[in-house]
Amino acid sequence: MVHSSDSICKSKDEHSSSGIFMSSLTGKRVVLDEMDFFADHHKKYKNGHHVKQISERDDDGDQMVQRNMDLHVNTGLDLTMNMINSNRSTMDDRTSQNIEDKATPNEFAALLGELHQMNVENQRLKELISQVNNNYKTLHMHLVTLMQRQKQQEINGAIDNMKNKGGVVLEMDQLASVTETDVKSKDKIELMECKTDQQQNRTTTTIENVHLLDPAWKSSHYSREINTRANESQEQASHSGWLSDYKVPKYSPFGDVDQASDQSMSMTKKARVSVRTRSESSMISDGCQWRKYGQKMAKGNPCPRAYYRCTMGTGCTVRKKVQRCAEDRSILMTTYEGQHNHPLPPTATAMASTTSAAVSMLLSGSMPSADGIMNSNLLNKAATTILPYCSTNLATLSASAPFPTITLDLNQSNSSPISSPQGQLINADLSQNFMSLPNIFVGSKFSGLHGTPASFQDTVSAATAAITADPNFTAALVAAVTSVIGNTHSNNNSNSNT
DNA sequence: CGGCTTTGACCAGCGC
DNA sequence: GCGCTGGTCAAAGCCG
C-alpha cells in the first residue's frame, strides 16, 4: 500500500505504525514496512516463509527497500504489482530518489523483475486455488448426495412406535396456510432416538422409532389456526419480551417438487410440545392456570382426553390436551400448543425457555439448507446433550418433515438423580438468550415423577445449558435439523413421485 | 356470584 | 356422500 498523498505522510515519531515517515537523514519521503502493524509477527512471518534477499548491502537505504520488498513478496496479492504498475511514476520517483543515493539502477531493475515474477506466480496460484475450490465443491455435492441416501435408508429401516415411551416431544407442526387442501397432510413423524445404555456403562446412539403423531389434532386445529393466524400474529407482536419476535414461518406440505418453491412461500410452522411423564395426578403442575373446555373419548384409549386452555392471560391462545397412556396409565401425556402472550411465573420460565430453545432450533430449520446433509451423529449428540443428566432413558430427536421433533424423555426408570448445579445461572442466561424467540410452554414441575428427587426444571435447565453453552453446536444442530427437513422433503417428494 | 367443570352438540378433516 | 374421529363451543351444573 503506497500512500502518495502528502497529507498522510507524517513523521515516524508521530505515526510510526503507518509505515510512512520523513527520513531524518535525507528529508525525503520514504515508504517502509507497509502494513507492518505487528513487528514481532512480521519477524516470525519472515522466519516461516521464504523471503527473497534482494541486496546484500548493509546500509539503511537497502534495508528499507529490502523490508519493503519482503512485504510485497509475502502479501500474495497481485495488488502489489498492480500497485507498482499503477503508481509506477510515484514509485519510480521515490525509489529512484532513494536509489539514486543508495542503490544502482541495475539492482532496481532486478527488483522490478523479481516483483514481476512474483506477480506471475501469484496469478498462477490464484488459478490453482480456484481450481481446487471448484473440485471441493464438486466433491462436497457428491458427499451430500451420498449422505442423503444413507439417511433415507436409516429412517426407512427404523420404523417403530414411540407413543408408549415417556418423554417430552417438541413438534414442529408445519401448517398449510393458504388452502384447506394444503392442510391435508399425509405425513408421518420420524423419530431419531438416542438411548443411554447404562447397563453397559456407555452411551449408545441408535435410530429407533418412527412415530405417527395425531393427524386429527393437526387437521382440526389447523383450520382454525389458519383463520386466526394473522390476528394472533398481530396480537402477539404487540407484546413485549419473548413474543416480540414472533415469526410466522411458511409451510410446505412437501407434496410436489415442482410446487415446492411456491409452497415454501406459503409455509407456516407451528410448534407443539408433548410431555410424557409418570404422574398420579390428573394434570401436571406446570405453573400456569388452565381451564378445561372439553373432554372426549379418544379412539383406542379408554382414558378420556381433556382439553385445557390457558387462563393466565386474556386472549392467551395456548392450549393443552391431557390424556393417560392406554398401555401404562401411570404415564400422563400432555401436549401443549400455542404461545403465551403474557409473562410466565418463575416456575414456568425454565421449561418455557428450554422448549423455546428447541423450538427455535427447529424453526431455524426453515432456513434454506445449502447442502441438505443429514448428520445423524450430530442429532444423536444433540439428543444426549439435551438430557445429559438423564440416564437409562430416552433423549429423542426427531427431525423430519413436516414435523421435526425433539423428544426429551423424562421418565426415570431408576433412581438416578437429575441434577443441575447451575440452574439459577442458566435461567438468568435463558432470559436473555430466548427472550425474543418463539416460545412454547411446558410445565416446569412434575408431580409424582418416579424416583426423581430433582425437579424437571433442573433437567431442562441443564439441558438448555448444554445447548446454549456451545454456540457452535447449536448452530450445527440447526444445520442438521435443516438438513433433515430438506432431506425428508426430498424423501416425500420421491415418495409422491412413486 | 364468579369461576370452573361437565357434557352433549357442532364443526371440520379424512378415509372409504 | 356418509361415517368416523378429533377438537371446540356453550349451556347447565357445581363449588367455594
Side-chain angles (χ1 to χ4, degrees):
Chain A
M1 185 180 299
V2 175
H3 301 279
S4 59
S5 172
D6 290 336
S7 62
I8 59 175
C9 296
K10 301 174 183 176
S11 68
K12 183 178 183 180
D13 292 338
E14 293 175 359
H15 297 283
S16 60
S17 63
S18 67
I20 305 170
F21 72 101
M22 301 295 290
S23 171
S24 60
L25 298 176
T26 64
K28 296 178 181 178
R29 190 173 50 189
V30 177
V31 179
L32 82 157
D33 282 349
E34 304 162 21
M35 298 174 61
D36 190 5
F37 299 101
F38 312 99
D40 294 338
H41 293 85
H42 181 66
K43 188 175 182 180
K44 296 177 181 178
Y45 186 62
K46 289 177 65 176
N47 292 334
H49 294 77
H50 175 69
V51 179
K52 284 191 174 297
Q53 299 294 321
I54 305 300
S55 174
E56 296 294 330
R57 296 181 62 177
D58 196 27
D59 56 276
D60 293 340
D62 279 352
Q63 284 181 355
M64 293 178 187
V65 174
Q66 180 172 323
R67 288 198 299 270
N68 193 21
M69 188 63 200
D70 292 347
L71 189 73
H72 284 304
V73 169
N74 286 291
T75 56
L77 301 174
D78 66 339
L79 294 174
T80 302
M81 203 59 200
N82 292 339
M83 171 272 294
I84 291 176
N85 293 333
S86 61
N87 300 283
R88 180 175 296 276
S89 59
T90 304
M91 185 71 174
D92 290 346
D93 291 342
R94 289 198 299 269
T95 53
S96 62
Q97 290 173 357
N98 192 20
I99 294 173
E100 185 179 3
D101 298 332
K102 312 276 181 169
T104 63
N106 289 338
E107 290 174 342
F108 180 65
L111 187 151
L112 290 179
E114 292 282 352
L115 288 176
H116 182 70
Q117 280 189 330
M118 293 299 167
N119 185 41
V120 172
E121 187 171 359
N122 280 340
Q123 293 288 347
R124 187 179 60 85
L125 290 174
K126 284 172 62 178
E127 293 176 359
L128 186 62
I129 290 174
S130 177
Q131 183 178 359
V132 170
N133 191 33
N134 290 335
N135 291 338
Y136 167 78
K137 289 180 179 178
T138 302
L139 288 174
H140 188 251
M141 291 294 293
H142 187 59
L143 179 63
V144 167
T145 303
L146 291 177
M147 294 188 70
Q148 283 180 338
R149 290 177 182 174
Q150 181 179 2
K151 166 56 185 172
Q152 184 172 352
Q153 292 175 354
E154 288 176 355
I155 292 179
N156 291 339
I159 297 175
D160 199 350
N161 195 331
M162 184 70 181
K163 286 182 178 179
N164 297 330
K165 295 182 177 179
V168 178
V169 180
L170 307 179
E171 297 179 27
M172 290 304 304
D173 292 354
Q174 300 168 302
L175 303 180
S177 60
V178 179
T179 64
E180 291 187 354
T181 56
D182 290 337
V183 183
K184 296 177 180 177
S185 63
K186 48 187 176 298
D187 309 290
K188 62 184 178 182
I189 300 297
E190 298 171 358
L191 294 182
M192 179 173 297
E193 200 163 85
C194 244
K195 178 181 289 182
T196 301
D197 190 342
Q198 196 178 45
Q199 292 180 345
Q200 301 181 18
N201 194 24
R202 62 186 177 88
T203 298
T204 60
T205 57
T206 56
I207 301 171
E208 286 197 353
N209 295 304
V210 173
H211 178 37
L212 177 62
L213 287 175
D214 278 352
W217 168 279
K218 297 192 287 285
S219 60
S220 174
H221 202 72
Y222 292 173
S223 59
R224 292 181 175 86
E225 287 287 340
I226 293 167
N227 294 332
T228 60
R229 176 68 59 180
N231 294 333
E232 289 182 9
S233 300
Q234 292 177 351
E235 180 179 340
Q236 289 165 340
S238 64
H239 291 84
S240 59
W242 63 0
L243 291 178
S244 58
D245 286 344
Y246 176 75
K247 298 174 182 178
V248 186
K250 302 299 183 179
Y251 166 70
S252 169
F254 303 147
D256 192 318
V257 176
D258 297 334
Q259 298 175 356
S261 58
D262 293 337
Q263 288 167 344
S264 64
M265 298 298 292
S266 60
M267 288 170 57
T268 299
K269 279 186 180 176
K270 183 178 181 59
R272 189 147 53 102
V273 179
S274 290
V275 178
R276 296 169 186 255
T277 186
R278 297 183 186 278
S279 177
E280 299 299 328
S281 60
S282 60
M283 193 170 66
I284 61 176
S285 174
D286 50 26
C288 276
Q289 295 176 352
W290 303 92
R291 178 177 181 176
K292 189 176 182 178
Y293 66 89
Q295 180 170 306
K296 294 284 291 186
M297 293 301 297
K299 181 183 180 182
N301 193 332
C303 303
R305 176 182 301 164
Y307 300 89
Y308 298 86
R309 65 165 52 96
C310 178
T311 59
M312 287 195 71
T314 56
C316 181
T317 60
V318 175
R319 293 171 183 177
K320 73 173 182 179
K321 56 180 180 179
V322 180
Q323 188 175 29
R324 293 201 170 275
C325 181
E327 283 74 12
D328 186 355
R329 301 192 182 186
S330 63
I331 295 178
L332 196 65
M333 300 177 295
T334 306
T335 302
Y336 298 84
E337 181 174 334
Q339 292 181 312
H340 292 282
N341 60 357
H342 54 81
L344 290 176
T347 55
T349 303
M351 287 190 63
S353 299
T354 299
T355 54
S356 68
V359 168
S360 66
M361 286 187 288
L362 292 174
L363 286 175
S364 298
S366 63
M367 295 183 299
S369 174
D371 49 29
I373 293 177
M374 169 54 206
N375 191 335
S376 58
N377 291 331
L378 181 58
L379 287 175
N380 287 332
K381 178 185 177 183
T384 55
T385 305
I386 286 170
L387 270 189
Y389 301 96
C390 286
S391 59
T392 69
N393 293 291
L394 301 176
T396 304
L397 270 179
S398 168
S400 60
F403 310 117
T405 303
I406 291 179
T407 299
L408 309 184
D409 190 341
L410 301 175
N411 292 323
Q412 299 294 297
S413 59
N414 61 2
S415 59
S416 299
I418 300 174
S419 61
S420 173
Q422 323 137 301
Q424 295 304 319
L425 178 60
I426 293 168
N427 291 341
D429 292 338
L430 291 176
S431 64
Q432 295 179 353
N433 293 340
F434 301 108
M435 187 64 79
S436 61
L437 296 175
N439 277 268
I440 297 299
F441 172 77
V442 180
S444 62
K445 185 183 297 181
F446 283 96
S447 58
L449 198 61
H450 265 322
T452 313
S455 67
F456 177 74
Q457 182 174 344
D458 287 340
T459 304
V460 295
S461 296
T464 310
I467 297 173
T468 58
D470 187 352
N472 292 329
F473 169 68
T474 302
L477 176 61
V478 168
V481 173
T482 303
S483 301
V484 173
I485 293 172
N487 191 41
T488 311
H489 188 165
S490 301
N491 293 344
N492 287 353
N493 290 337
S494 61
N495 292 338
S496 64
N497 291 335
T498 57

